[in-house]
Amino acid sequence: MNYTEQVMDHFMNPRNVGEIENASGVGTVGNAKCGDIMKIYIKVKDNIIEDVKFKTFGCGAAIATSSKATEMVKGMTIDEALTVTNKMVAEALGGLPPVKIHCSVLAEEALRAAIQDYKDKLARGENPDEVPSVEPEEIQYV
Amino acid sequence: MERIYMDNAATTRVTEPVMAAMQPYFCEVFGNPMSIHGFGREARKAVENARRQVADALKADPSEIYFTGCGTESDNWAVRGTAYAQIRKGKHLITSAIEHHAIIHTCAQLEKEGFEVTYLPVDEFGVVDLVALEKAIRPDTTLISIMSANNEVGTIQPIEEIGRIAKAHNVLFHTDAVQAIGSVEFDVKKMNIDMLSMSGHKFHAPKGVGALYIRKGVRPQRLIHGGEQERGQRAGTENVASIIGLGKAIEIATANIPRHNAEVSAVRDRLIDRILREIPYTRLNGHRTQRLPGNCNISFEFIEGESMLLGLDLKGIAASTGSACASGSLDPSHVLLAMGLPHEIAHGSLRLSLCEENTLEQADKVVDALIEVVNRLRSLSPLYDDFIAAQKANKA
Ligand code: FES
């Protein structure tokens, strides 16, 4: 497999693995192509992503891109985080084999879903850190 | 780091005796076997010796052995060649849902060309349904092509019975024996096999050489046109050195199949037993006993196969998977799906395939490494969390 050193590094030593209790937002998405699943948790304080964690069921590229994406958005404002694209994540890893680009899409979508969850809570007038995120009945496949 | 190779179903190494047998046929004996002079005659003699070695391994006559470029070519020739040679009898072929792509994709192409193909189902262990086979045969059926043993899960098919059924209905029978040579005893006459494909690099000959056994009297249309090589049936200058390698390799591989099977399956069973016992949420894919001695295919729940391969690779261990993520096409293995395995189980499948050089010590090292890899990947998996949480909730 032709993964870059950065990909292998993030695969072997993934950053930000885990869950966040009382997360401000949680995003779970699945990969429509191969069926993989990614889950990202964010903790937001003063509009800044203070902490972010992930869990991934998927290939090496899926694990590495979720790790890299969480690393990139940590410390960003919500708006900054929303500008992070799958392409940027892939580039930061020194590129991905063409057949693996869709795995990085999963990372972008999971992050967006987590932010959306956070925003939805705010829109409902809830305190995002107190109201638990509702797990989707059906995983959204992208 | 000691590297451990357990991907022998993908390819094997050329062993020293095979290499030694081939050695003279590069620099010294280099004649074209089609030439009449002494240089040519030497090469011809060696090629014919290899042909006899292959014939002996199958209990066939040397005149029934044709050398090809690979197993895929042999499969293409047998299926396509027979489909067209028998077009006056009919345009219906029968194969199985778990064949190698060399057969499946050839059949798919023939369907585009106006042929009809029945893909026989298999049971949960990967055994072809013989009742369905009998039912599928029609007056216009010209060929039954069923593999001898499956490359992914190692299930050995009831070849003799299929041969009997084919003969009873007067339909030609081809078997893709690419994975089976050296593990299954062949007697092509007794087993009513009309054509049989093999590939050298699966049993320690080099890549780029294969053979097709064609029973006397059977005449698939030729695929490759040109010179008069292989008695006019397969043009192209003989790959002399590789043919010699194939001959030597099959002689070694079939010298004592029962002993080979006993030794290799001891290592396989160590793998299977330890993995199933020591790693929870695992299942064996394929048949427990009707199985190639070198095949261990196990699914690990909650994790994905490509990431397992990478984890093992970093520990110097070579394996393979049926996961969609590793397939290039992003489709999960058609074999595992045909056996009725759910997508998630196919996703976490791992194949370790052995040859007689793998040892019990290696098996132990691989299981130890696998335990680490699986634990780590499960600790990353949201599915595993959900599962454990659900289990706790159930207990409470
Ligand atoms: S997540 Fe399946 S290919 Fe990457």
Side-chain angles (χ1 to χ4, degrees):
Chain A
M1 260 152 289
N2 293 321
Y3 286 137
T4 62
E5 255 171 59
Q6 294 101 300
V7 172
M8 288 311 284
D9 176 39
H10 277 268
F11 167 70
M12 268 322 278
N13 312 294
R15 335 296 198 243
N16 307 312
V17 178
E19 290 143 54
I20 297 178
E21 261 185 71
N22 310 319
S24 320
V26 181
T28 307
V29 291
N31 190 319
K33 278 209 183 103
C34 57
D36 294 342
I37 294 164
M38 200 179 283
K39 197 165 179 177
I40 289 187
Y41 303 75
I42 53 170
K43 188 83 179 170
V44 184
K45 206 173 171 195
D46 301 330
N47 206 35
I48 286 179
I49 300 182
E50 230 189 10
D51 198 10
V52 48
K53 294 251 189 274
F54 81 91
K55 286 265 172 141
T56 293
F57 162 62
C59 71
I63 291 171
T65 49
S66 25
S67 165
K68 189 72 206 177
T70 56
E71 193 181 67
M72 286 166 75
V73 300
K74 200 166 174 174
M76 280 186 176
T77 65
I78 290 291
D79 286 342
E80 282 167 348
L82 283 172
T83 65
V84 172
T85 63
N86 77 298
K87 227 177 134 211
M88 288 158 72
V89 177
E91 270 166 23
L93 287 167
L96 286 170
V99 65
K100 294 290 178 180
I101 294 296
H102 72 101
C103 319
S104 62
V105 174
L106 203 55
E108 177 187 321
E109 293 297 334
L111 184 66
R112 280 168 202 259
I115 293 175
Q116 193 55 46
D117 179 41
Y118 166 73
K119 285 186 166 174
D120 287 348
K121 287 189 200 174
L122 286 182
R124 288 194 298 262
E126 300 168 350
N127 178 345
D129 293 353
E130 275 169 14
V131 180
S133 299
V134 248
E135 290 283 328
E137 290 269 307
E138 293 231 334
I139 291 174
Q140 183 201 339
Y141 283 92
V142 294
Chain B
M1 182 168 60
E2 185 210 350
R3 296 202 301 164
I4 300 178
Y5 186 76
M6 289 203 179
D7 199 13
N8 287 281
T11 196
T12 59
R13 81 181 189 98
V14 174
T15 51
E16 286 73 13
V18 172
M19 187 67 201
M22 291 169 65
Q23 197 68 55
Y25 296 91
F26 292 99
C27 303
E28 293 139 49
V29 187
F30 63 88
N32 186 327
M34 295 299 276
S35 301
I36 299 172
H37 46 63
F39 294 84
R41 287 199 307 272
E42 284 176 337
R44 165 64 50 210
K45 210 173 135 208
V47 167
E48 294 316 314
N49 184 49
R51 199 184 305 284
R52 186 191 47 73
Q53 286 168 316
V54 175
D56 287 350
L58 304 177
K59 301 201 169 60
D61 189 83
S63 66
E64 299 172 307
I65 305 300
Y66 299 82
F67 292 113
T68 63
C70 56
T72 295
E73 185 195 325
S74 300
D75 283 345
N76 271 261
W77 185 10
V79 173
R80 164 171 291 273
T82 305
Y84 276 98
Q86 301 229 8
I87 208 158
R88 247 175 280 135
K89 181 185 174 196
K91 295 179 88 174
H92 177 238
L93 315 168
I94 299 173
T95 186
S96 85
I98 60 162
E99 297 296 310
H100 189 272
H101 283 151
I103 297 288
I104 297 252
H105 289 170
T106 301
C107 287
Q109 176 58 32
L110 286 170
E111 284 182 285
K112 283 191 200 143
E113 294 169 25
F115 290 84
E116 244 184 285
V117 181
T118 301
Y119 299 89
L120 296 175
V122 296
D123 67 13
E124 57 181 313
F125 305 112
V127 182
V128 169
D129 184 341
L130 295 185
V131 178
L133 168 62
E134 288 250 37
K135 275 199 204 133
I137 299 173
R138 320 190 306 211
D140 61 340
T141 305
T142 57
L143 180 70
I144 297 168
S145 178
I146 308 279
M147 67 199 331
S148 303
N150 181 265
N151 48 313
E152 291 186 37
V153 294
T155 304
I156 298 173
Q157 302 300 336
I159 288 303
E160 256 190 276
E161 280 166 61
I162 296 170
R164 210 173 300 133
I165 292 170
K167 189 168 183 190
H169 291 85
N170 207 9
V171 178
L172 291 177
F173 173 39
H174 164 254
T175 187
D176 171 348
V178 164
Q179 294 288 334
I181 297 292
S183 298
V184 174
E185 303 256 18
F186 284 102
D187 182 333
V188 285
K189 300 278 139 56
K190 214 177 102 205
M191 297 162 106
N192 292 311
I193 296 171
D194 295 301
M195 286 168 281
L196 178 149
S197 303
M198 69 174 74
S199 170
H201 73 103
K202 306 293 189 185
F203 50 89
H204 302 296
K207 295 154 191 66
V209 64
L212 181 64
Y213 153 80
I214 306 175
R215 187 171 57 78
K216 209 166 278 160
V218 176
R219 203 21 65 104
Q221 268 187 17
R222 68 193 78 172
L223 209 59
I224 298 185
H225 300 270
E228 285 304 305
Q229 289 88 358
E230 299 299 291
R231 296 179 299 290
Q233 298 308 303
R234 199 277 187 182
T237 298
E238 294 89 340
N239 182 355
V240 176
S242 293
I243 287 172
I244 308 312
L246 188 144
K248 184 70 188 170
I250 201 166
E251 186 180 87
I252 297 171
T254 55
N256 193 339
I257 292 177
R259 195 182 69 201
H260 164 270
N261 288 359
E263 286 173 6
V264 177
S265 59
V267 180
R268 175 200 70 189
D269 290 342
R270 172 79 66 101
L271 283 172
I272 293 176
D273 295 343
R274 273 200 65 195
I275 292 171
L276 295 183
R277 200 175 53 228
E278 295 178 36
I279 307 182
Y281 316 118
T282 47
R283 54 162 285 174
L284 180 69
N285 299 318
H287 199 282
R288 187 64 189 83
T289 52
Q290 218 171 295
R291 169 180 210 105
L292 286 177
N295 178 290
C296 165
N297 187 316
I298 289 182
S299 282
F300 299 77
E301 287 187 57
F302 319 117
I303 56 179
E304 185 280 322
E306 190 223 81
S307 57
M308 265 191 279
L309 287 198
L310 285 179
L312 289 173
D313 185 40
L314 288 165
K315 293 174 181 291
I317 297 165
S320 151
T321 174
S323 161
C325 295
S327 72
S329 63
L330 294 178
D331 294 320
S333 144
H334 66 284
V335 175
L336 299 179
L337 294 188
M339 287 161 60
L341 263 63
H343 186 99
E344 318 87 77
I345 299 293
H347 220 51
S349 70
L350 184 80
R351 180 188 72 183
L352 298 161
S353 50
L354 312 171
C355 74
E356 58 294 328
E357 296 184 342
N358 291 110
T359 62
L360 287 170
E361 291 74 53
Q362 286 183 332
D364 284 334
K365 281 189 190 154
V366 167
V367 178
D368 294 342
L370 202 47
I371 290 172
E372 280 178 40
V373 169
V374 170
N375 283 342
R376 187 177 89 82
L377 291 172
R378 281 186 178 163
S379 77
L380 298 179
S381 169
L383 299 184
Y384 192 56
D385 289 346
D386 294 350
F387 175 78
I388 297 298
Q391 244 190 357
K392 274 194 193 138
N394 267 347
K395 267 190 203 138

